[in-house]
C-alpha cells in the first residue's frame, strides 16, 4: 500500500526557494489577523480555493476509495498550491516530504495542515472513547487526549479529527464507540476535556494538535441506528441534546469542526446553512474552520440535494463548509462558480481566512516542520504513555454485577478456567479506529491474568468468534458452526473453581459502517456461555464491546459481569488488576444497556408521557406488553468492591432566578475497601413551556473514600444548569418547582426539591 512519497518529493523539480524573511506575513511579531491579510493579498483565486481543498494520502483509506483523483493529479495540484491539507499522511518522513512540496515548490509556500483520525490514541492506544467516558474522570480523559496528541504530533500530525461529540441513544449505531454516550451534559464535559487534552494550552507547542468536534450535526440520530442514514429530529432535540456538546467544544476553544454525512430534516448537514452559518459561525461566533466529512460534498448529489458536483460545491461553500475533504468539488468547480457570480468571493475569503488562522495558530508558518522531529518520533510508545493508557483503562471498567461477591478473585490456590476466543486476542481489544497502531499489540486478558501466578489458570477458547482475517475496512464473518472447542472448554469449566469468560464484540464490530440489528453476543458465544453455565455457574463474564449490548440471560444468571469495552493497548493488565482486586472499579455507564433491541432508543432522560404508570390495571399506558420499560442496566450504573450510602440531601428551597442553588449530600463508604464513587446529580423541571425530561444530569463529582470515611459533596446549580432551549434556540430559565435527585446512578430515588421564583 505504501507509496514512496519521499522519493516523489525528491524527484520533483524544485522551484526557487522563497526567502522567508522577505515575506511580511512570515513576521512572527505581527498579529495573526494582519499576517493573514498580508498573505491573502498575494493569493490568486485558485490559490485561495486550494487552501479549501484536502486530499487523502495513499497509506490509509478511511472512506470509500477516492474517485477521480489520481496520484499524479494530486501531486500536480499540490505543486500548484491547490492543496491546503492532507489526511492520512503520517510519519515524520512522509509528512516532511509532502510539506516540503507545499513549502518549497509552490508559489507562496503555504504549509499544509496534516490531519489524521487520532480517535483514542495514535500508536499507544487508550480505551475507545465510549469506554473512557465511563470513567467520568475528566482529568484522566484530558490526559489521555494529550498522550494521543503527543504521539500523533511526534509522527508529524497537526490536527486530529476528534473528538466525536455526537450524542446517540441508539446502540445499533456502531459509532457510539467513538463518542461519550447518550447524555448531553456528560457529553459536553467530556468534549471540553478532550479538546483541551488535544490542544493543550499552547497550540504552537510541537506536542499540541488542533482538535475537531464532529460530526456537525445530529449524525448520532440516524434512523434505525443505520450508519449514514437520514436524521429527522425536532428542534427540542437539536437544541437541547445534539448541539450542547458542540457548543462546549467551541467554548473549550476547539479550532475546527467537521460536518456530517447525514441529512438533517431534509438538508444535508454538509450543506446546512442554519447549522454552519447561523448557529456555529453566527450565534456561537466560532472563528475556526469547518471541514467536510469524507467526500460528503459530493454525496449531496447522491442525497438528491444538488444536481451535480458543481452545484454541490456552491451549496456547501455558501452553507459554510470551509474545506472539502476528498470530494474534489471545490478545487474543480469553485473558481468557475465565483467567476459566474454564483459564489461570492467573500465566501471564499472567509473560509480561507479561517483555515489560515488555524495554520498560523499551530505555528506552521513559523516552522512548517515543527511536528517533524525524528528524535521525538522515537518517543512514541514510551513507558510513560503505556502507564497513562493503563491508568485510563482501569478507570474505564464498569462492574455491572457482583452477586455473592464473586469478585475480586482470590489470588492463591484456586483453579481458574479462562474461556472465550476474545480472552487470548491481542488485536481485538485495540478497538476500532486505530489505523496508526500496530496489529496484535494489545495485552490480552490471558496475558494479563498470567501475571497473577498463585492460581492454576487453564485457557480454552471454546469457539472462534470470527472466521478469517479481520480488517478495519472489511465486514466480519462470524463462526456460527464450529463447536469443536466446546468439549475441552466444558471440561476445563467443570474442573475449575471459577470460570472467567471473555465474550462480546470483536474490536472491528463497532465503529464507522458497523451498525447492528441484534445486540446480543455474536457467533456461538451465547450458546457457549449457557453450556458452560450448566457445568459451572460460578462465572465471571468479562464483556468486550463498543456499544451497549442486550444480555438479559446473562444479567439474570451470571453472578459477576465486568464491562471491559475495548480498552486499548493495556487491556489485559487493566482487566486482570480489576479481577484480582488490585484495582477497585469505579466506572459508570455512559449509555443505558437495553433489555432487547426493541427498546432502542433507550435513554434515561425520557419524557414522562401522559401515561407513565399503570394506574387502572389495563393496557392503556406507555409500556411494552412483552418486556419491562426499564433498561437492563441504567445510565450511570456501576458497582464497586465496596458500598456507598447517601445521606442528608440538602437543597436551598426558595430560590430567586439568577441566584445559585446549593445542593449538598453526604456520601459514606460503608464497605471494607477504599473505593471511588461518581456522585451524580439530576434535576427535573416539573412544569415548563417546553416539557422537560424526567431526569437530566446536571452535575457529578468523583469522590475517593476510605472504608468508613464520609464526605460532603456540594453542587451549585446556576441558570446554566436550570434552563433549556426553546424550539427557536433561545435559552430560557423558567420559574417553578424543580426536583433534585442525587445518587450513584440515574435510577437514584434520593430526592428533594426547590422552587425557583
Ligand atoms: C469519515 C468519518 O465519518 C470521519 O469521522 C473521519 O474523520 C473521516 N472519514 C476521515 O477519516
Amino acid at each position: 500500500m505504501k507509496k514512496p512519497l519521499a522519493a516523489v518529493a525528491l524527484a520533483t523539480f524544485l522551484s526557487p526557494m522563497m526567502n522567508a524573511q522577505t515575506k511580511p506575513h512570515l513576521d512572527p511579531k505581527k498579529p495573526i489577523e494582519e499576517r493573514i491579510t498580508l498573505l491573502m493579498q498575494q493569493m490568486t483565486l485558485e490559490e485561495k480555493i486550494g487552501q479549501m481543498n484536502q486530499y487523502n494520502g495513499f497509506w490509509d483509506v478511511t472512506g470509500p476509495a477516492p474517485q477521480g483523483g489520481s496520484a499524479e493529479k494530486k501531486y500536480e495540484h499540490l505543486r500548484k498550491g491547490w492543496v491546503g491539507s492532507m489526511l492520512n499522511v503520517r510519519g515524520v518522513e512522509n509528512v516532511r516530504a509532502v510539506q516540503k512540496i507545499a513549502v518549497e515548490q509552490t508559489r507562496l509556500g503555504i504549509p499544509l495542515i496534516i490531519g489524521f483520525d487520532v480517535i483514542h490514541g495514535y500508536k499507544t492506544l487508550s480505551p475507545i472513547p465510549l469506554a473512557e467516558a465511563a470513567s467520568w474522570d475528566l482529568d484522566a480523559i484530558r490526559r489521555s487526549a494529550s498522550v494521543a496528541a503527543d504521539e500523533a504530533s511526534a509522527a508529524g500530525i497537526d490536527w486530529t479529527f476528534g473528538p466525536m461529540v455526537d450524542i446517540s441513544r441508539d446502540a445499533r449505531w456502531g459509532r457510539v464507540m467513538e463518542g461519550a454516550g447518550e447524555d448531553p451534559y456528560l457529553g459536553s464535559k467530556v468534549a471540553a476535556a478532550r479538546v483541551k487534552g488535544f490542544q493543550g494550552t499552547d497550540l504552537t507547542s510541537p506536542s499540541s494538535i488542533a482538535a475537531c468536534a464532529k460530526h456537525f450535526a445530529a449524525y448520532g440520530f440516524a434512523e434505525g441506528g443505520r450508519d449514514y442514514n437520514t436524521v429527522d429530529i425536532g428542534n427540542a432535540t437539536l437544541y437541547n441534546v445534539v448541539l450542547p456538546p458542540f457548543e462546549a467544544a467551541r467554548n473549550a476553544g476547539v479550532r475546527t469542526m467537521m460536518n456530517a454525512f447525514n441529512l438533517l430534516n431534509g438538508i444535508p448537514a454538509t450543506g446546512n446553512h442554519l447549522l454552519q452559518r447561523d448557529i456555529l459561525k453566527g450565534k456561537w461566533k466560532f472563528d475556526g474552520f469547518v471541514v467536510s466529512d469524507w467526500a460528503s460534498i459530493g454525496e449531496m448529489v447522491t442525497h438528491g440535494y444538488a444536481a451535480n458536483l458543481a452545484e454541490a460545491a456552491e451549496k456547501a461553500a455558501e452553507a459554510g463548509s470551509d474545506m472539502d475533504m476528498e470530494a474534489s468539488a471545490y478545487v474543480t468547480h469553485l473558481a468557475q462558480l465565483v467567476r459566474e457570480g454564483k459564489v461570492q468571493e467573500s465566501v471564499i475569503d472567509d473560509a480561507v481566512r479561517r483555515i489560515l488562522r488555524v495554520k498560523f495558530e499551530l505555528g506552521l508558518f513559523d516552522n512548517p516542520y515543527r511536528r517533524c522531529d525524528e528524535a521525538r518520533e522515537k518517543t512514541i510508545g514510551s513507558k510513560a504513555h503505556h502507564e497513562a493508557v493503563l491508568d485510563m483503562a482501569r478507570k474505564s471498567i464498569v462492574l455491572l454485577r457482583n452477586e455473592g461477591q464473586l469478585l475480586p478473585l482470590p489470588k492463591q490456590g484456586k483453579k481458574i478456567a479462562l474461556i472465550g476466543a476474545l480472552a487470548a486476542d491481542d488485536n481485538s481489544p485495540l478497538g476500532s479506529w486505530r489505523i496508526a497502531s500496530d496489529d496484535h499489540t494489545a495485552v490480552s486478558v490471558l496475558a494479563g491474568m498470567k501475571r497473577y501466578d498463585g492460581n492454576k489458570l487453564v485457557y480454552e477458547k471454546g469457539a472462534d468468534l470470527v472466521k478469517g482475517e479481520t480488517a478495519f475496512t472489511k465486514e466480519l464473518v462470524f463462526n456460527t458452526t464450529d463447536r469443536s472447542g466446546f468439549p475441552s472448554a466444558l471440561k476445563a469449566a467443570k474442573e475449575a473453581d471459577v470460570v472467567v469468560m471473555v465474550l462480546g464484540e470483536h474490536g472491528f464490530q463497532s465503529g464507522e459502517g458497523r451498525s447492528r440489528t441484534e445486540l446480543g453476543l455474536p457467533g456461538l458465544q451465547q450458546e457457549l456461555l449457557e453450556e458452560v453455565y450448566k457445568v459451572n455457574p460460578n462465572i465471571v463474564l468479562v464483556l468486550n464491546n463498543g456499544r451497549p449490548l442486550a444480555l438479559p440471560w446473562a444479567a439474570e444468571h451470571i453472578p459477576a459481569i465486568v464491562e471491559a469495552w475495548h480498552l486499548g493497548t493495556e487491556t489485559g493488565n487493566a482487566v486482570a488488576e480489576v479481577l484480582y482486586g488490585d484495582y477497585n472499579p469505579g466506572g459508570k455507564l455512559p449509555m443505558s444497556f437495553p433489555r432487547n433491541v426493541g427498546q432502542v432508543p433507550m435513554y434515561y432522560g425520557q419524557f414522562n408521557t401522559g401515561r407513565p404508570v399503570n394506574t387502572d390495571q389495563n393496557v392503556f399506558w406507555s409500556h411494552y406488553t412483552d418486556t419491562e420499560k426499564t433498561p437492563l442496566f441504567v445510565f450511570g450504573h456501576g458497582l464497586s468492591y465496596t458500598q456507598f450510602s447517601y445521606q442528608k440531601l440538602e437543597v436551598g428551597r426558595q430560590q430567586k432566578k439568577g441566584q445559585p442553588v446549593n445542593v449538598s449530600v453526604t456520601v459514606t463508604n460503608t464497605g471494607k475497601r477504599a473505593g471511588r464513587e461518581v456522585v451524580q446529580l439530576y434535576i427535573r423541571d416539573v412544569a415548563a413551556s417546553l416539557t422537560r425530561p424526567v431526569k437530566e444530569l446536571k452535575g457529578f463529582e468523583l469522590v475517593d473514600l476510605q472504608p468508613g470515611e464520609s464526605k460532603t459533596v456540594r453542587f451549585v446549580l446556576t441558570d446554566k444548569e436550570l434552563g433549556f432551549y426553546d424550539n427557536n434556540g433561545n435559552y430560557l430559565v423558567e420559574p417553578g418547582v424543580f426536583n433534585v435527585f442525587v445518587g450513584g446512578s440515574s435510577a437514584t430515588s434520593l430526592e428533594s426539591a426547590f422552587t425557583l421564583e
Side-chain angles (χ1 to χ4, degrees):
M1 185 98 148
K2 261 196 175 185
K3 288 254 160 68
L5 251 195
V8 173
L10 285 177
T12 312
F13 177 69
L14 284 179
S15 64
M17 283 261 285
M18 290 200 345
N19 182 344
Q21 304 316 316
T22 63
K23 302 287 172 193
H25 69 272
L26 293 181
D27 178 358
K29 287 194 238 54
K30 289 195 161 62
I32 284 181
E33 295 307 311
E34 190 185 331
R35 294 174 73 183
I36 299 172
T37 305
L38 288 167
L39 177 56
M40 284 179 64
Q41 281 164 357
Q42 303 170 59
M43 294 171 79
T44 63
L45 178 61
E46 281 75 10
E47 283 166 339
K48 287 180 185 170
I49 292 166
Q51 288 304 303
M52 301 167 70
N53 181 35
Q54 184 187 53
Y55 278 147
N56 188 50
F58 296 96
W59 287 268
D60 309 296
V61 172
T62 52
Q67 302 293 315
S70 68
E72 271 316 296
K73 193 165 115 199
K74 287 185 174 177
Y75 288 123
E76 186 197 319
H77 286 179
L78 190 54
R79 285 192 293 266
K80 281 182 167 166
W82 289 5
V83 183
S85 173
M86 291 191 81
L87 77 150
N88 292 334
V89 179
R90 61 186 159 95
V92 167
E93 188 190 352
N94 297 320
V95 171
R96 193 184 278 282
V98 287
Q99 193 66 289
K100 215 165 146 64
I101 299 175
V103 173
E104 294 184 9
Q105 298 179 41
T106 66
R107 196 178 71 88
L108 293 170
I110 301 174
L112 297 165
I113 175 171
I114 303 291
F116 195 73
D117 289 284
V118 185
I119 305 301
H120 54 110
Y122 183 74
K123 200 171 275 281
T124 314
L125 296 180
S126 267
I128 57 168
L130 183 66
E132 287 195 357
S135 72
W136 298 51
D137 186 332
L138 302 174
D139 286 338
I141 292 171
R142 185 183 44 72
R143 274 198 304 278
S144 164
S146 85
V147 166
D150 197 45
E151 289 203 353
S153 61
I157 309 298
D158 304 306
W159 172 30
T160 174
F161 304 127
M164 187 188 97
V165 305
D166 295 310
I167 297 299
S168 181
R169 278 117 185 239
D170 195 326
R172 293 170 296 184
W173 191 49
R175 299 197 80 168
V176 298
M177 57 88 35
E178 289 177 60
E182 73 183 47
D183 182 67
Y185 182 86
L186 178 61
S188 297
K189 298 285 179 198
V190 171
R194 290 199 167 124
V195 168
K196 288 181 188 153
F198 286 131
Q199 296 191 165
T201 48
D202 174 10
L203 262 192
T204 64
S205 155
S207 54
S208 292
I209 56 179
C212 177
K214 67 187 188 185
H215 304 85
F216 200 64
Y219 185 38
F221 282 78
E223 275 181 2
R226 200 182 77 218
D227 206 4
Y228 316 123
N229 202 8
T230 303
V231 175
D232 206 323
I233 55 170
N235 280 358
T237 302
L238 178 66
Y239 289 115
N240 290 292
V241 181
V242 168
L243 293 181
F246 287 97
E247 193 173 7
R250 179 255 173 252
N251 292 340
V254 75
R255 299 316 291 133
T256 74
M257 297 230 182
M258 183 186 292
N259 55 37
F261 290 125
N262 55 282
L263 291 185
L264 174 61
N265 304 335
I267 299 175
T270 303
N272 201 304
H273 196 283
L274 169 76
L275 287 176
Q276 298 172 110
R277 289 256 180 244
D278 299 344
I279 297 175
L280 178 62
K281 295 175 179 176
K283 199 168 161 193
W284 297 353
K285 299 187 171 52
F286 172 67
D287 68 355
F289 71 88
V290 178
V291 63
S292 82
D293 202 343
W294 180 288
S296 67
I297 298 179
E299 288 182 14
M300 297 206 314
V301 178
T302 324
H303 274 299
Y305 187 68
N308 50 46
L309 194 62
E311 194 181 327
E314 179 187 335
K315 287 188 162 175
E318 290 283 2
S321 285
D322 301 310
M323 186 181 277
D324 170 4
M325 181 193 285
E326 198 53 25
S328 297
Y330 287 177
V331 74
T332 314
H333 296 290
L334 265 189
Q336 183 61 20
L337 288 164
V338 172
R339 282 188 206 103
E340 287 170 7
K342 288 187 174 157
V343 172
Q344 297 300 306
E345 193 158 354
S346 58
V347 167
I348 311 293
D349 285 347
D350 174 61
V352 174
R353 178 168 285 277
R354 289 167 180 278
I355 294 164
L356 293 176
R357 182 177 293 136
V358 175
K359 290 187 177 183
F360 273 109
E361 289 170 352
L362 282 164
L364 287 168
F365 281 92
D366 304 323
N367 177 6
Y369 306 106
R370 72 191 316 126
R371 295 178 186 82
C372 290
D373 172 349
E374 284 79 0
R376 258 195 78 213
E377 194 173 29
K378 295 201 180 84
T379 66
I380 292 176
S382 69
K383 193 162 173 268
H385 289 177
H386 278 265
E387 275 162 15
V389 300
L390 173 58
D391 179 60
M392 190 72 248
R394 294 178 185 121
K395 290 178 170 150
S396 303
I397 293 174
V398 184
L399 181 63
L400 293 176
R401 199 164 191 254
N402 195 17
E403 290 303 301
Q405 312 291 302
L406 185 55
L407 287 174
L409 300 172
K411 288 181 180 162
Q412 300 287 337
K414 298 285 175 195
K415 271 192 181 164
I416 301 200
L418 177 63
I419 296 175
L422 287 173
D425 200 323
D426 58 6
N427 203 30
S428 166
L430 297 174
S432 206
W433 280 119
R434 31 82 166 219
I435 32 187
S437 79
D438 298 320
D439 282 346
H440 302 286
T441 49
V443 178
S444 68
V445 173
L446 174 60
M449 286 189 73
K450 274 187 179 163
R451 289 176 46 225
Y452 291 82
D453 56 7
N455 290 324
K456 184 166 184 298
L457 182 70
V458 177
Y459 170 67
E460 287 292 341
K461 96 179 146 187
D464 280 325
L465 175 58
V466 178
K467 290 205 282 192
E469 280 298 294
T470 60
F472 175 60
T473 50
K474 296 270 180 292
E475 299 282 357
L476 300 178
V477 182
F478 293 99
N479 166 33
T480 53
T481 51
D482 181 1
R483 296 174 175 81
S484 56
F486 272 38
S488 33
L490 296 181
K491 181 170 177 288
K494 207 170 180 175
E495 291 167 359
D497 297 302
V498 182
V499 185
V500 176
M501 295 187 75
V502 183
L503 306 175
E505 294 184 304
H506 187 273
F508 286 141
Q509 210 176 342
S510 54
E512 188 180 346
R514 276 101 167 167
S515 298
R516 295 181 63 187
T517 60
E518 297 288 344
L519 295 173
L521 299 169
L524 296 170
Q525 296 180 107
Q526 180 69 29
E527 191 181 321
L528 180 65
L529 177 63
E530 294 187 25
E531 290 300 311
V532 170
Y533 180 80
K534 282 182 200 156
V535 300
N536 188 346
N538 245 357
I539 298 175
V540 177
L541 173 59
V542 176
L543 291 174
N544 282 191
N545 43 319
R547 52 155 65 78
L549 295 177
L551 303 171
W553 187 90
E556 194 184 333
H557 294 89
I558 303 301
I561 306 181
V562 175
E563 176 51 78
W565 316 101
H566 297 123
L567 292 174
T569 306
E570 291 288 336
T571 289
N573 289 331
V575 170
E577 285 181 22
V578 164
L579 295 182
Y580 280 110
D582 281 346
Y583 187 82
N584 186 359
K588 302 275 187 177
L589 293 179
M591 264 186 105
S592 312
F593 278 37
R595 292 171 191 277
N596 60 33
V597 184
Q599 284 186 317
V600 172
M602 171 49 80
Y603 54 101
Y604 81 92
Q606 302 213 345
F607 294 96
N608 208 26
T609 78
R611 297 181 179 195
V613 287
N614 185 2
T615 44
D616 298 332
Q617 301 303 313
N618 61 33
V619 295
F620 305 113
W621 63 292
S622 182
H623 72 302
Y624 297 102
T625 56
D626 57 357
T627 194
E628 289 171 55
K629 207 175 154 173
T630 53
L632 196 58
F633 296 111
V634 299
F635 174 87
H637 169 72
L639 304 171
S640 161
Y641 294 149
T642 188
Q643 294 79 41
F644 301 99
S645 75
Y646 287 75
Q647 289 103 16
K648 290 198 275 182
L649 173 59
E650 283 168 14
V651 178
R653 294 261 153 191
Q654 294 285 325
Q655 301 290 339
K656 292 250 180 299
K657 199 167 150 181
Q659 284 179 3
V661 181
N662 295 310
V663 178
S664 64
V665 71
T666 302
V667 187
T668 305
N669 180 347
T670 56
K672 296 195 175 66
R673 300 177 53 117
R676 164 173 284 194
E677 172 73 325
V678 182
V679 181
Q680 302 159 46
L681 178 145
Y682 298 83
I683 62 165
R684 178 174 178 190
D685 183 347
V686 177
S689 57
L690 204 76
T691 301
R692 306 306 304 138
V694 289
K695 269 183 188 154
E696 291 182 88
L697 181 72
K698 290 296 177 183
F700 60 90
E701 288 290 332
L702 274 51
V703 282
D704 293 304
L705 293 172
Q706 294 300 318
E709 190 186 351
S710 295
K711 268 188 194 159
T712 299
V713 179
R714 295 175 204 285
F715 297 95
V716 181
L717 296 171
T718 65
D719 282 1
K720 245 168 82 189
E721 287 79 29
L722 298 176
F724 59 88
Y725 292 94
D726 70 13
N727 284 335
N728 297 315
N730 301 311
Y731 192 73
L732 307 176
V733 182
E734 293 182 342
V737 175
F738 286 75
N739 296 335
V740 178
F741 309 85
V742 178
S745 83
S746 61
T748 178
S749 53
L750 181 61
E751 182 181 345
S752 185
F754 66 90
T755 305
L756 198 67
E757 291 196 326

